[in-house]
Amino acid sequence: MTVLSIIVFLPAIVAALLLFVPRKRVRLFPWIWVATSAVDLALIIVAWTGYIVGTGTGFGYEENVRWLPMLGSGYHIAVDGFSLPIVALTGVLFLACAVYSLREQRRTRSWVILFLFLQTVSLGLFVSLDLLVFFVFFDLSIVAMYFIIAGWGHPGAARAALQFFLYTFVGSLALLLGFIGLYLASTPHTFDMVQLVHQDPLKGDPVVAGIILFAISLGLAVKTPTVPFHTWLPPAHTEAPTAGSVILAGILLKMGTYGFVRIAMPILPQAWRDYALVFVIVGVVSVLYGALVALAQTNLKRMIAYTSVNHMGYIILGLGAAGLATGSNVQASALAVSGAVTQMVSHGLLTGALFLLAGVLYARGGTYDIGAYGGLAKTVPVFTGLMAVAVFGSLGLPGFSGFIAEFQIFTGSLGSAPVPTALSVIGIVITAALLLRMFQRIFLGAGQRSHDEAPPAPQASMKDVFSREFFAVAPLLALSVVIGILPAFLLHVIDPAARALVALVGG
């Protein structure tokens, strides 16, 4: 067993042990979660350092144990330049949620156990190199998040959780059909991703390859989500508890986009090139639709949810443009892919921070309605400063990770998809407008409540952020700034993997 298996299963082992801890020890459970996530993150940092120093551009910490020999499936895990940054993001966000949840008092043991289980599931998916193992973790993430939303969400949580489960479960069935298609097309039959990449089993059958790409992309698009498969996301975010929204946006959405770079592009390279324009169009539609609908929202959480659709659109645009540019401009393709992966990390940090701050606001005022607040900068200056940093980071200001990601995506996409890329730039302007308008109304304005909205929150007595809230949010924003100013440590890991992927897609 390598350090990677320890990283993956440590949270689940602790969760299992917590089942035997008496309920009267309720105050210990959140601290155990914090300690477990801190140890897990420390191990991830050790693995990151070892990967950079010792393993170069290939897979690191690889394990391959036969699981279902008759099906050609095994417990095959490893990390590379795509998975390692997302694994690190997972460790950071779960630790932030653990710190934020130190005062959670509702069914605390179940709350901690579910999140520890979800942490193992998320880590396991991002290190999987077997389609069947990937699918198992993919489906288990749906189950864990369903119980988190339904059990600790707001009044409409039961319906939102059911919609989330059914929508994403149907998407996962489409994904499974695609995986079975790849298995049947391979010779010898296998679910191993590395072997499938080497075989390129559907190289001579573009029709079947297109059908299988459609099935896989449908499952991943629902999880991402892209337009028009996004309708489950706003209610799920609006009704979920704060920590649930952070993990849903920061980690679970990345399972979809990560699946494109890990499975769809390298295993079906010809089909990806053939249908790259479709992904470019889906990406730009998601960018513009997400931004425009977010502009119309009066609920802060719902607005942040639609900006996630917008930001996921940039990732799909970059990956699609890489397929169009492959062969004609390899460097541009690699830059677009690198930008897409960087955007996954950036979105997780910044949107995670925004959802945590939305939770802080709700804890004080009892509503997410933007019009119920106004002039908070005078009474909660630290909270105002944190929100300002999160807002400027999310709109892509230079000095933040979002700028690095979007700059790479636009630079890599402009040559092969000039019109869609130009249209996507408009999305940045709209996003900037809606985020700044929200900030102005809540922190600088006097509130603009309509007749059917919640009554104004008691702002004169509103307390500033507590220490647990500060230490949950501030590190996420600090990491975004570090990536924005000194991105080399991240790009040094991502770029070789991006060039290798472009080489595969280009044949």
PDB file of all heavy atoms in Angstrom, residues 118-155:
ATOM      1  N   LEU A 118     -17.579  11.023   2.104  1.00  0.00           N
ATOM      2  CA  LEU A 118     -17.552  11.736   0.826  1.00  0.00           C
ATOM      3  C   LEU A 118     -16.133  12.147   0.448  1.00  0.00           C
ATOM      4  O   LEU A 118     -15.772  12.182  -0.735  1.00  0.00           O
ATOM      5  CB  LEU A 118     -18.463  12.967   0.908  1.00  0.00           C
ATOM      6  CG  LEU A 118     -18.638  13.785  -0.376  1.00  0.00           C
ATOM      7  CD1 LEU A 118     -19.135  12.930  -1.526  1.00  0.00           C
ATOM      8  CD2 LEU A 118     -19.593  14.952  -0.131  1.00  0.00           C
ATOM      9  N   GLN A 119     -15.310  12.443   1.436  1.00  0.00           N
ATOM     10  CA  GLN A 119     -13.916  12.789   1.162  1.00  0.00           C
ATOM     11  C   GLN A 119     -13.168  11.604   0.550  1.00  0.00           C
ATOM     12  O   GLN A 119     -12.435  11.766  -0.429  1.00  0.00           O
ATOM     13  CB  GLN A 119     -13.230  13.241   2.453  1.00  0.00           C
ATOM     14  CG  GLN A 119     -11.817  13.771   2.240  1.00  0.00           C
ATOM     15  CD  GLN A 119     -11.258  14.450   3.493  1.00  0.00           C
ATOM     16  OE1 GLN A 119     -11.989  14.691   4.456  1.00  0.00           O
ATOM     17  NE2 GLN A 119      -9.985  14.765   3.483  1.00  0.00           N
ATOM     18  N   THR A 120     -13.361  10.423   1.108  1.00  0.00           N
ATOM     19  CA  THR A 120     -12.736   9.224   0.531  1.00  0.00           C
ATOM     20  C   THR A 120     -13.247   8.967  -0.886  1.00  0.00           C
ATOM     21  O   THR A 120     -12.468   8.665  -1.799  1.00  0.00           O
ATOM     22  CB  THR A 120     -13.027   8.002   1.422  1.00  0.00           C
ATOM     23  OG1 THR A 120     -12.161   8.040   2.555  1.00  0.00           O
ATOM     24  CG2 THR A 120     -12.782   6.691   0.674  1.00  0.00           C
ATOM     25  N   VAL A 121     -14.545   9.101  -1.084  1.00  0.00           N
ATOM     26  CA  VAL A 121     -15.136   8.876  -2.405  1.00  0.00           C
ATOM     27  C   VAL A 121     -14.546   9.849  -3.430  1.00  0.00           C
ATOM     28  O   VAL A 121     -14.187   9.459  -4.549  1.00  0.00           O
ATOM     29  CB  VAL A 121     -16.668   9.014  -2.332  1.00  0.00           C
ATOM     30  CG1 VAL A 121     -17.274   9.082  -3.723  1.00  0.00           C
ATOM     31  CG2 VAL A 121     -17.268   7.860  -1.549  1.00  0.00           C
ATOM     32  N   SER A 122     -14.441  11.109  -3.053  1.00  0.00           N
ATOM     33  CA  SER A 122     -13.917  12.123  -3.975  1.00  0.00           C
ATOM     34  C   SER A 122     -12.460  11.862  -4.319  1.00  0.00           C
ATOM     35  O   SER A 122     -12.060  11.899  -5.492  1.00  0.00           O
ATOM     36  CB  SER A 122     -14.070  13.514  -3.351  1.00  0.00           C
ATOM     37  OG  SER A 122     -15.420  13.793  -3.037  1.00  0.00           O
ATOM     38  N   LEU A 123     -11.646  11.598  -3.320  1.00  0.00           N
ATOM     39  CA  LEU A 123     -10.238  11.313  -3.555  1.00  0.00           C
ATOM     40  C   LEU A 123     -10.070  10.061  -4.402  1.00  0.00           C
ATOM     41  O   LEU A 123      -9.230  10.009  -5.318  1.00  0.00           O
ATOM     42  CB  LEU A 123      -9.511  11.152  -2.223  1.00  0.00           C
ATOM     43  CG  LEU A 123      -9.358  12.419  -1.376  1.00  0.00           C
ATOM     44  CD1 LEU A 123      -8.906  12.058   0.035  1.00  0.00           C
ATOM     45  CD2 LEU A 123      -8.370  13.391  -2.009  1.00  0.00           C
ATOM     46  N   GLY A 124     -10.880   9.037  -4.124  1.00  0.00           N
ATOM     47  CA  GLY A 124     -10.788   7.801  -4.882  1.00  0.00           C
ATOM     48  C   GLY A 124     -11.095   7.987  -6.346  1.00  0.00           C
ATOM     49  O   GLY A 124     -10.430   7.402  -7.221  1.00  0.00           O
ATOM     50  N   LEU A 125     -12.089   8.809  -6.648  1.00  0.00           N
ATOM     51  CA  LEU A 125     -12.427   9.050  -8.050  1.00  0.00           C
ATOM     52  C   LEU A 125     -11.277   9.729  -8.789  1.00  0.00           C
ATOM     53  O   LEU A 125     -10.938   9.355  -9.915  1.00  0.00           O
ATOM     54  CB  LEU A 125     -13.694   9.904  -8.140  1.00  0.00           C
ATOM     55  CG  LEU A 125     -14.195  10.203  -9.561  1.00  0.00           C
ATOM     56  CD1 LEU A 125     -15.711  10.140  -9.617  1.00  0.00           C
ATOM     57  CD2 LEU A 125     -13.727  11.574 -10.042  1.00  0.00           C
ATOM     58  N   PHE A 126     -10.659  10.732  -8.165  1.00  0.00           N
ATOM     59  CA  PHE A 126      -9.639  11.510  -8.862  1.00  0.00           C
ATOM     60  C   PHE A 126      -8.325  10.758  -9.059  1.00  0.00           C
ATOM     61  O   PHE A 126      -7.478  11.198  -9.836  1.00  0.00           O
ATOM     62  CB  PHE A 126      -9.381  12.828  -8.122  1.00  0.00           C
ATOM     63  CG  PHE A 126     -10.549  13.771  -8.155  1.00  0.00           C
ATOM     64  CD1 PHE A 126     -11.056  14.315  -6.985  1.00  0.00           C
ATOM     65  CD2 PHE A 126     -11.146  14.101  -9.349  1.00  0.00           C
ATOM     66  CE1 PHE A 126     -12.141  15.179  -7.009  1.00  0.00           C
ATOM     67  CE2 PHE A 126     -12.245  14.965  -9.390  1.00  0.00           C
ATOM     68  CZ  PHE A 126     -12.737  15.500  -8.221  1.00  0.00           C
ATOM     69  N   VAL A 127      -8.143   9.640  -8.368  1.00  0.00           N
ATOM     70  CA  VAL A 127      -6.915   8.860  -8.566  1.00  0.00           C
ATOM     71  C   VAL A 127      -7.178   7.567  -9.333  1.00  0.00           C
ATOM     72  O   VAL A 127      -6.245   6.811  -9.608  1.00  0.00           O
ATOM     73  CB  VAL A 127      -6.230   8.532  -7.226  1.00  0.00           C
ATOM     74  CG1 VAL A 127      -5.892   9.807  -6.475  1.00  0.00           C
ATOM     75  CG2 VAL A 127      -7.092   7.610  -6.363  1.00  0.00           C
ATOM     76  N   SER A 128      -8.437   7.314  -9.714  1.00  0.00           N
ATOM     77  CA  SER A 128      -8.792   6.058 -10.377  1.00  0.00           C
ATOM     78  C   SER A 128      -8.242   6.005 -11.795  1.00  0.00           C
ATOM     79  O   SER A 128      -8.336   6.967 -12.562  1.00  0.00           O
ATOM     80  CB  SER A 128     -10.310   5.885 -10.417  1.00  0.00           C
ATOM     81  OG  SER A 128     -10.846   5.754  -9.132  1.00  0.00           O
ATOM     82  N   LEU A 129      -7.694   4.843 -12.168  1.00  0.00           N
ATOM     83  CA  LEU A 129      -7.269   4.568 -13.539  1.00  0.00           C
ATOM     84  C   LEU A 129      -7.993   3.343 -14.094  1.00  0.00           C
ATOM     85  O   LEU A 129      -7.515   2.709 -15.040  1.00  0.00           O
ATOM     86  CB  LEU A 129      -5.752   4.357 -13.596  1.00  0.00           C
ATOM     87  CG  LEU A 129      -4.890   5.595 -13.361  1.00  0.00           C
ATOM     88  CD1 LEU A 129      -3.413   5.243 -13.404  1.00  0.00           C
ATOM     89  CD2 LEU A 129      -5.209   6.688 -14.373  1.00  0.00           C
ATOM     90  N   ASP A 130      -9.144   3.029 -13.506  1.00  0.00           N
ATOM     91  CA  ASP A 130      -9.985   1.937 -13.975  1.00  0.00           C
ATOM     92  C   ASP A 130     -11.408   2.468 -14.089  1.00  0.00           C
ATOM     93  O   ASP A 130     -11.912   3.112 -13.156  1.00  0.00           O
ATOM     94  CB  ASP A 130      -9.925   0.763 -12.997  1.00  0.00           C
ATOM     95  CG  ASP A 130     -10.711  -0.441 -13.485  1.00  0.00           C
ATOM     96  OD1 ASP A 130     -11.942  -0.475 -13.264  1.00  0.00           O
ATOM     97  OD2 ASP A 130     -10.090  -1.344 -14.086  1.00  0.00           O
ATOM     98  N   LEU A 131     -12.062   2.224 -15.208  1.00  0.00           N
ATOM     99  CA  LEU A 131     -13.383   2.792 -15.445  1.00  0.00           C
ATOM    100  C   LEU A 131     -14.406   2.305 -14.428  1.00  0.00           C
ATOM    101  O   LEU A 131     -15.265   3.078 -13.990  1.00  0.00           O
ATOM    102  CB  LEU A 131     -13.861   2.434 -16.855  1.00  0.00           C
ATOM    103  CG  LEU A 131     -13.079   3.034 -18.022  1.00  0.00           C
ATOM    104  CD1 LEU A 131     -13.647   2.543 -19.346  1.00  0.00           C
ATOM    105  CD2 LEU A 131     -13.116   4.561 -17.970  1.00  0.00           C
ATOM    106  N   LEU A 132     -14.326   1.050 -14.039  1.00  0.00           N
ATOM    107  CA  LEU A 132     -15.300   0.512 -13.097  1.00  0.00           C
ATOM    108  C   LEU A 132     -15.103   1.109 -11.704  1.00  0.00           C
ATOM    109  O   LEU A 132     -16.073   1.449 -11.018  1.00  0.00           O
ATOM    110  CB  LEU A 132     -15.186  -1.016 -13.041  1.00  0.00           C
ATOM    111  CG  LEU A 132     -16.452  -1.790 -12.650  1.00  0.00           C
ATOM    112  CD1 LEU A 132     -17.624  -1.390 -13.529  1.00  0.00           C
ATOM    113  CD2 LEU A 132     -16.202  -3.283 -12.736  1.00  0.00           C
ATOM    114  N   VAL A 133     -13.853   1.241 -11.288  1.00  0.00           N
ATOM    115  CA  VAL A 133     -13.565   1.884  -9.998  1.00  0.00           C
ATOM    116  C   VAL A 133     -14.008   3.344 -10.038  1.00  0.00           C
ATOM    117  O   VAL A 133     -14.611   3.856  -9.074  1.00  0.00           O
ATOM    118  CB  VAL A 133     -12.067   1.765  -9.666  1.00  0.00           C
ATOM    119  CG1 VAL A 133     -11.730   2.524  -8.391  1.00  0.00           C
ATOM    120  CG2 VAL A 133     -11.662   0.301  -9.525  1.00  0.00           C
ATOM    121  N   PHE A 134     -13.724   4.025 -11.138  1.00  0.00           N
ATOM    122  CA  PHE A 134     -14.166   5.413 -11.320  1.00  0.00           C
ATOM    123  C   PHE A 134     -15.681   5.510 -11.164  1.00  0.00           C
ATOM    124  O   PHE A 134     -16.195   6.399 -10.470  1.00  0.00           O
ATOM    125  CB  PHE A 134     -13.742   5.899 -12.706  1.00  0.00           C
ATOM    126  CG  PHE A 134     -14.091   7.331 -13.014  1.00  0.00           C
ATOM    127  CD1 PHE A 134     -13.152   8.338 -12.857  1.00  0.00           C
ATOM    128  CD2 PHE A 134     -15.350   7.668 -13.484  1.00  0.00           C
ATOM    129  CE1 PHE A 134     -13.471   9.662 -13.159  1.00  0.00           C
ATOM    130  CE2 PHE A 134     -15.678   8.986 -13.782  1.00  0.00           C
ATOM    131  CZ  PHE A 134     -14.724   9.977 -13.619  1.00  0.00           C
ATOM    132  N   PHE A 135     -16.403   4.582 -11.793  1.00  0.00           N
ATOM    133  CA  PHE A 135     -17.866   4.630 -11.745  1.00  0.00           C
ATOM    134  C   PHE A 135     -18.391   4.380 -10.330  1.00  0.00           C
ATOM    135  O   PHE A 135     -19.367   5.009  -9.898  1.00  0.00           O
ATOM    136  CB  PHE A 135     -18.449   3.599 -12.709  1.00  0.00           C
ATOM    137  CG  PHE A 135     -19.949   3.544 -12.683  1.00  0.00           C
ATOM    138  CD1 PHE A 135     -20.709   4.506 -13.335  1.00  0.00           C
ATOM    139  CD2 PHE A 135     -20.609   2.549 -11.981  1.00  0.00           C
ATOM    140  CE1 PHE A 135     -22.084   4.475 -13.290  1.00  0.00           C
ATOM    141  CE2 PHE A 135     -21.993   2.507 -11.931  1.00  0.00           C
ATOM    142  CZ  PHE A 135     -22.737   3.469 -12.595  1.00  0.00           C
ATOM    143  N   VAL A 136     -17.777   3.449  -9.607  1.00  0.00           N
ATOM    144  CA  VAL A 136     -18.208   3.168  -8.234  1.00  0.00           C
ATOM    145  C   VAL A 136     -18.098   4.429  -7.377  1.00  0.00           C
ATOM    146  O   VAL A 136     -19.047   4.815  -6.664  1.00  0.00           O
ATOM    147  CB  VAL A 136     -17.380   2.022  -7.629  1.00  0.00           C
ATOM    148  CG1 VAL A 136     -17.609   1.916  -6.124  1.00  0.00           C
ATOM    149  CG2 VAL A 136     -17.719   0.697  -8.310  1.00  0.00           C
ATOM    150  N   PHE A 137     -16.961   5.094  -7.439  1.00  0.00           N
ATOM    151  CA  PHE A 137     -16.792   6.326  -6.664  1.00  0.00           C
ATOM    152  C   PHE A 137     -17.740   7.425  -7.163  1.00  0.00           C
ATOM    153  O   PHE A 137     -18.270   8.210  -6.375  1.00  0.00           O
ATOM    154  CB  PHE A 137     -15.342   6.805  -6.748  1.00  0.00           C
ATOM    155  CG  PHE A 137     -14.389   5.992  -5.920  1.00  0.00           C
ATOM    156  CD1 PHE A 137     -13.256   5.429  -6.485  1.00  0.00           C
ATOM    157  CD2 PHE A 137     -14.607   5.790  -4.574  1.00  0.00           C
ATOM    158  CE1 PHE A 137     -12.367   4.681  -5.729  1.00  0.00           C
ATOM    159  CE2 PHE A 137     -13.731   5.036  -3.799  1.00  0.00           C
ATOM    160  CZ  PHE A 137     -12.608   4.475  -4.386  1.00  0.00           C
ATOM    161  N   PHE A 138     -17.947   7.495  -8.473  1.00  0.00           N
ATOM    162  CA  PHE A 138     -18.835   8.485  -9.078  1.00  0.00           C
ATOM    163  C   PHE A 138     -20.247   8.350  -8.507  1.00  0.00           C
ATOM    164  O   PHE A 138     -20.883   9.339  -8.122  1.00  0.00           O
ATOM    165  CB  PHE A 138     -18.845   8.280 -10.595  1.00  0.00           C
ATOM    166  CG  PHE A 138     -19.517   9.366 -11.391  1.00  0.00           C
ATOM    167  CD1 PHE A 138     -18.785  10.443 -11.870  1.00  0.00           C
ATOM    168  CD2 PHE A 138     -20.869   9.298 -11.682  1.00  0.00           C
ATOM    169  CE1 PHE A 138     -19.402  11.433 -12.626  1.00  0.00           C
ATOM    170  CE2 PHE A 138     -21.487  10.286 -12.432  1.00  0.00           C
ATOM    171  CZ  PHE A 138     -20.752  11.357 -12.906  1.00  0.00           C
ATOM    172  N   ASP A 139     -20.753   7.112  -8.442  1.00  0.00           N
ATOM    173  CA  ASP A 139     -22.102   6.883  -7.937  1.00  0.00           C
ATOM    174  C   ASP A 139     -22.201   7.100  -6.429  1.00  0.00           C
ATOM    175  O   ASP A 139     -23.200   7.629  -5.934  1.00  0.00           O
ATOM    176  CB  ASP A 139     -22.541   5.463  -8.290  1.00  0.00           C
ATOM    177  CG  ASP A 139     -23.582   5.448  -9.400  1.00  0.00           C
ATOM    178  OD1 ASP A 139     -23.742   6.485 -10.070  1.00  0.00           O
ATOM    179  OD2 ASP A 139     -24.232   4.409  -9.607  1.00  0.00           O
ATOM    180  N   LEU A 140     -21.176   6.684  -5.691  1.00  0.00           N
ATOM    181  CA  LEU A 140     -21.217   6.859  -4.242  1.00  0.00           C
ATOM    182  C   LEU A 140     -21.225   8.336  -3.847  1.00  0.00           C
ATOM    183  O   LEU A 140     -21.794   8.700  -2.810  1.00  0.00           O
ATOM    184  CB  LEU A 140     -20.026   6.148  -3.594  1.00  0.00           C
ATOM    185  CG  LEU A 140     -20.069   4.612  -3.616  1.00  0.00           C
ATOM    186  CD1 LEU A 140     -18.791   4.044  -3.007  1.00  0.00           C
ATOM    187  CD2 LEU A 140     -21.291   4.091  -2.866  1.00  0.00           C
ATOM    188  N   SER A 141     -20.616   9.176  -4.653  1.00  0.00           N
ATOM    189  CA  SER A 141     -20.642  10.618  -4.353  1.00  0.00           C
ATOM    190  C   SER A 141     -22.062  11.163  -4.409  1.00  0.00           C
ATOM    191  O   SER A 141     -22.430  12.066  -3.641  1.00  0.00           O
ATOM    192  CB  SER A 141     -19.739  11.373  -5.336  1.00  0.00           C
ATOM    193  OG  SER A 141     -20.297  11.391  -6.642  1.00  0.00           O
ATOM    194  N   ILE A 142     -22.881  10.619  -5.319  1.00  0.00           N
ATOM    195  CA  ILE A 142     -24.274  11.051  -5.425  1.00  0.00           C
ATOM    196  C   ILE A 142     -25.041  10.682  -4.154  1.00  0.00           C
ATOM    197  O   ILE A 142     -25.816  11.474  -3.617  1.00  0.00           O
ATOM    198  CB  ILE A 142     -24.932  10.406  -6.659  1.00  0.00           C
ATOM    199  CG1 ILE A 142     -24.194  10.806  -7.935  1.00  0.00           C
ATOM    200  CG2 ILE A 142     -26.398  10.808  -6.759  1.00  0.00           C
ATOM    201  CD1 ILE A 142     -24.670  10.063  -9.175  1.00  0.00           C
ATOM    202  N   VAL A 143     -24.803   9.472  -3.667  1.00  0.00           N
ATOM    203  CA  VAL A 143     -25.509   8.994  -2.468  1.00  0.00           C
ATOM    204  C   VAL A 143     -25.162   9.855  -1.256  1.00  0.00           C
ATOM    205  O   VAL A 143     -26.047  10.303  -0.509  1.00  0.00           O
ATOM    206  CB  VAL A 143     -25.166   7.521  -2.197  1.00  0.00           C
ATOM    207  CG1 VAL A 143     -25.796   7.052  -0.892  1.00  0.00           C
ATOM    208  CG2 VAL A 143     -25.617   6.643  -3.355  1.00  0.00           C
ATOM    209  N   ALA A 144     -23.871  10.102  -1.055  1.00  0.00           N
ATOM    210  CA  ALA A 144     -23.443  10.880   0.111  1.00  0.00           C
ATOM    211  C   ALA A 144     -24.001  12.300   0.066  1.00  0.00           C
ATOM    212  O   ALA A 144     -24.517  12.807   1.082  1.00  0.00           O
ATOM    213  CB  ALA A 144     -21.914  10.915   0.174  1.00  0.00           C
ATOM    214  N   MET A 145     -23.928  12.948  -1.097  1.00  0.00           N
ATOM    215  CA  MET A 145     -24.426  14.324  -1.183  1.00  0.00           C
ATOM    216  C   MET A 145     -25.938  14.382  -1.043  1.00  0.00           C
ATOM    217  O   MET A 145     -26.480  15.355  -0.504  1.00  0.00           O
ATOM    218  CB  MET A 145     -23.981  14.947  -2.508  1.00  0.00           C
ATOM    219  CG  MET A 145     -24.335  16.421  -2.652  1.00  0.00           C
ATOM    220  SD  MET A 145     -23.772  17.475  -1.281  1.00  0.00           S
ATOM    221  CE  MET A 145     -21.988  17.386  -1.474  1.00  0.00           C
ATOM    222  N   TYR A 146     -26.647  13.352  -1.491  1.00  0.00           N
ATOM    223  CA  TYR A 146     -28.104  13.317  -1.312  1.00  0.00           C
ATOM    224  C   TYR A 146     -28.457  13.401   0.174  1.00  0.00           C
ATOM    225  O   TYR A 146     -29.325  14.180   0.580  1.00  0.00           O
ATOM    226  CB  TYR A 146     -28.677  12.032  -1.926  1.00  0.00           C
ATOM    227  CG  TYR A 146     -30.100  11.760  -1.509  1.00  0.00           C
ATOM    228  CD1 TYR A 146     -31.159  12.409  -2.134  1.00  0.00           C
ATOM    229  CD2 TYR A 146     -30.381  10.872  -0.465  1.00  0.00           C
ATOM    230  CE1 TYR A 146     -32.467  12.172  -1.735  1.00  0.00           C
ATOM    231  CE2 TYR A 146     -31.682  10.637  -0.063  1.00  0.00           C
ATOM    232  CZ  TYR A 146     -32.729  11.282  -0.701  1.00  0.00           C
ATOM    233  OH  TYR A 146     -34.019  11.057  -0.294  1.00  0.00           O
ATOM    234  N   PHE A 147     -27.808  12.598   0.990  1.00  0.00           N
ATOM    235  CA  PHE A 147     -28.124  12.596   2.422  1.00  0.00           C
ATOM    236  C   PHE A 147     -27.704  13.909   3.087  1.00  0.00           C
ATOM    237  O   PHE A 147     -28.368  14.378   4.024  1.00  0.00           O
ATOM    238  CB  PHE A 147     -27.450  11.408   3.113  1.00  0.00           C
ATOM    239  CG  PHE A 147     -28.138  10.101   2.858  1.00  0.00           C
ATOM    240  CD1 PHE A 147     -27.560   9.135   2.068  1.00  0.00           C
ATOM    241  CD2 PHE A 147     -29.384   9.852   3.405  1.00  0.00           C
ATOM    242  CE1 PHE A 147     -28.196   7.929   1.827  1.00  0.00           C
ATOM    243  CE2 PHE A 147     -30.044   8.646   3.178  1.00  0.00           C
ATOM    244  CZ  PHE A 147     -29.451   7.680   2.378  1.00  0.00           C
ATOM    245  N   ILE A 148     -26.606  14.515   2.632  1.00  0.00           N
ATOM    246  CA  ILE A 148     -26.180  15.796   3.211  1.00  0.00           C
ATOM    247  C   ILE A 148     -27.201  16.888   2.917  1.00  0.00           C
ATOM    248  O   ILE A 148     -27.571  17.678   3.803  1.00  0.00           O
ATOM    249  CB  ILE A 148     -24.785  16.178   2.670  1.00  0.00           C
ATOM    250  CG1 ILE A 148     -23.719  15.250   3.265  1.00  0.00           C
ATOM    251  CG2 ILE A 148     -24.461  17.638   2.993  1.00  0.00           C
ATOM    252  CD1 ILE A 148     -22.349  15.414   2.650  1.00  0.00           C
ATOM    253  N   ILE A 149     -27.682  16.946   1.670  1.00  0.00           N
ATOM    254  CA  ILE A 149     -28.666  17.980   1.312  1.00  0.00           C
ATOM    255  C   ILE A 149     -29.987  17.722   2.027  1.00  0.00           C
ATOM    256  O   ILE A 149     -30.578  18.626   2.625  1.00  0.00           O
ATOM    257  CB  ILE A 149     -28.875  18.025  -0.217  1.00  0.00           C
ATOM    258  CG1 ILE A 149     -27.586  18.440  -0.916  1.00  0.00           C
ATOM    259  CG2 ILE A 149     -30.001  18.998  -0.568  1.00  0.00           C
ATOM    260  CD1 ILE A 149     -27.663  18.359  -2.438  1.00  0.00           C
ATOM    261  N   ALA A 150     -30.469  16.472   1.966  1.00  0.00           N
ATOM    262  CA  ALA A 150     -31.777  16.157   2.542  1.00  0.00           C
ATOM    263  C   ALA A 150     -31.774  16.254   4.066  1.00  0.00           C
ATOM    264  O   ALA A 150     -32.779  16.650   4.666  1.00  0.00           O
ATOM    265  CB  ALA A 150     -32.208  14.758   2.104  1.00  0.00           C
ATOM    266  N   GLY A 151     -30.671  15.902   4.698  1.00  0.00           N
ATOM    267  CA  GLY A 151     -30.646  15.843   6.148  1.00  0.00           C
ATOM    268  C   GLY A 151     -30.340  17.146   6.847  1.00  0.00           C
ATOM    269  O   GLY A 151     -30.778  17.367   7.980  1.00  0.00           O
ATOM    270  N   TRP A 152     -29.593  18.050   6.196  1.00  0.00           N
ATOM    271  CA  TRP A 152     -29.166  19.281   6.867  1.00  0.00           C
ATOM    272  C   TRP A 152     -29.475  20.539   6.062  1.00  0.00           C
ATOM    273  O   TRP A 152     -29.001  21.617   6.399  1.00  0.00           O
ATOM    274  CB  TRP A 152     -27.661  19.227   7.146  1.00  0.00           C
ATOM    275  CG  TRP A 152     -27.298  18.297   8.248  1.00  0.00           C
ATOM    276  CD1 TRP A 152     -27.137  18.594   9.571  1.00  0.00           C
ATOM    277  CD2 TRP A 152     -27.058  16.886   8.138  1.00  0.00           C
ATOM    278  NE1 TRP A 152     -26.801  17.471  10.283  1.00  0.00           N
ATOM    279  CE2 TRP A 152     -26.738  16.401   9.438  1.00  0.00           C
ATOM    280  CE3 TRP A 152     -27.049  15.972   7.080  1.00  0.00           C
ATOM    281  CZ2 TRP A 152     -26.434  15.072   9.687  1.00  0.00           C
ATOM    282  CZ3 TRP A 152     -26.764  14.649   7.329  1.00  0.00           C
ATOM    283  CH2 TRP A 152     -26.460  14.198   8.614  1.00  0.00           C
ATOM    284  N   GLY A 153     -30.252  20.420   5.018  1.00  0.00           N
ATOM    285  CA  GLY A 153     -30.534  21.563   4.161  1.00  0.00           C
ATOM    286  C   GLY A 153     -31.643  22.448   4.697  1.00  0.00           C
ATOM    287  O   GLY A 153     -32.144  22.274   5.820  1.00  0.00           O
ATOM    288  N   HIS A 154     -32.056  23.385   3.879  1.00  0.00           N
ATOM    289  CA  HIS A 154     -33.107  24.347   4.216  1.00  0.00           C
ATOM    290  C   HIS A 154     -34.486  23.725   3.973  1.00  0.00           C
ATOM    291  O   HIS A 154     -34.575  22.559   3.568  1.00  0.00           O
ATOM    292  CB  HIS A 154     -32.883  25.617   3.409  1.00  0.00           C
ATOM    293  CG  HIS A 154     -31.551  26.264   3.693  1.00  0.00           C
ATOM    294  ND1 HIS A 154     -31.195  26.703   4.947  1.00  0.00           N
ATOM    295  CD2 HIS A 154     -30.477  26.513   2.893  1.00  0.00           C
ATOM    296  CE1 HIS A 154     -29.972  27.211   4.917  1.00  0.00           C
ATOM    297  NE2 HIS A 154     -29.508  27.102   3.676  1.00  0.00           N
ATOM    298  N   PRO A 155     -35.579  24.463   4.198  1.00  0.00           N
ATOM    299  CA  PRO A 155     -36.917  23.851   4.130  1.00  0.00           C
ATOM    300  C   PRO A 155     -37.230  23.089   2.841  1.00  0.00           C
ATOM    301  O   PRO A 155     -37.952  22.107   2.869  1.00  0.00           O
ATOM    302  CB  PRO A 155     -37.839  25.058   4.310  1.00  0.00           C
ATOM    303  CG  PRO A 155     -37.064  25.985   5.181  1.00  0.00           C
ATOM    304  CD  PRO A 155     -35.633  25.832   4.752  1.00  0.00           C
TER     305      PRO A 155
END
